[in-house]
């Protein structure tokens, strides 16, 4: 997808790509083993920084977000509401992420005025998990 988007962005002379990585690509958590998806998301993080360097001369910024547990329909068939709520204490800020938390981070990274000098960053949007856990 980035290849197609980059061609159009080069025609315009600028652009922003925001990838979705994962906090688990930074931190292995014994309670939530996920080596396969963590490996894949680690690849997304590597792609992000490499594309950022490759396309910076074209004024194309490439960043990623790295969420922790975000309450989305993804969990509907995996966890009961009570099980999902049990992850609240996993996050230092005391709650699971919500779709709006992710939306705001993406909008920030997409906005040239607010983040026009940011590229090659993987932004933890994780309720503080990257900083540590209780």
């Amino acid at each position: 997808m980035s290849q197609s988007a980059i061609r159009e962005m080069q025609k315009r002379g600028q652009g922003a790509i925001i990838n979705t990585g994962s906090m688990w690509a930074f931190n292995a958590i014994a309670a939530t083993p996920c080596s396969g998806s963590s490996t894949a998301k680690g690849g997304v993080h590597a792609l992000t920084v490499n594309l950022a360097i490759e396309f910076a001369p074209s004024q194309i910024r490439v960043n990623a977000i790295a969420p922790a547990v975000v309450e989305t329909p993804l969990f509907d068939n995996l966890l009961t509401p009570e099980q999902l709520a049990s992850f609240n204490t996993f996050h230092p800020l005391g709650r699971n992420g919500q779709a709006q938390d992710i939306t705001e981070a993406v909008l920030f990274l997409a906005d040239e005025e607010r983040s026009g000098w940011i590229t090659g960053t993987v932004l933890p949007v994780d309720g503080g998990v990257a900083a540590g856990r209780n």
Side-chain angles (χ1 to χ4, degrees):
M1 187 181 309
S2 291
Q3 287 178 330
S4 295
I6 286 169
R7 279 194 290 274
E8 293 303 313
M9 290 175 185
Q10 286 175 315
K11 290 177 189 175
R12 289 194 326 233
Q14 69 172 8
I17 294 173
I18 300 103
N19 294 318
T20 303
S22 173
M23 177 280 311
W24 278 268
F26 291 129
N27 295 293
I29 310 294
T32 57
C34 53
S35 58
S37 61
S38 294
T39 300
K41 292 302 187 175
V44 170
H45 295 186
L47 176 68
T48 297
V49 297
N50 280 275
L51 288 178
I53 294 300
E54 187 173 344
F55 291 101
S58 296
Q59 299 304 302
I60 297 170
R61 299 178 302 105
V62 185
N63 295 291
I65 58 166
V69 177
V70 179
E71 293 183 6
T72 68
L74 169 75
F75 291 109
D76 289 352
N77 293 325
L78 300 173
L79 301 170
T80 67
E82 295 77 23
Q83 289 170 319
L84 185 56
S86 73
F87 282 97
N88 284 321
T89 58
F90 172 72
H91 305 90
L93 288 178
R95 67 171 179 85
N96 293 336
Q98 301 299 313
Q100 187 68 23
D101 297 314
I102 302 306
T103 300
E104 293 299 330
V106 170
L107 290 173
F108 168 73
L109 289 172
D111 189 311
E112 181 68 27
E113 280 187 40
R114 292 187 173 119
S115 65
W117 207 46
I118 299 172
T119 195
T121 295
V122 179
L123 178 66
V125 185
D126 64 4
V129 173
R133 288 174 301 286
N134 297 331

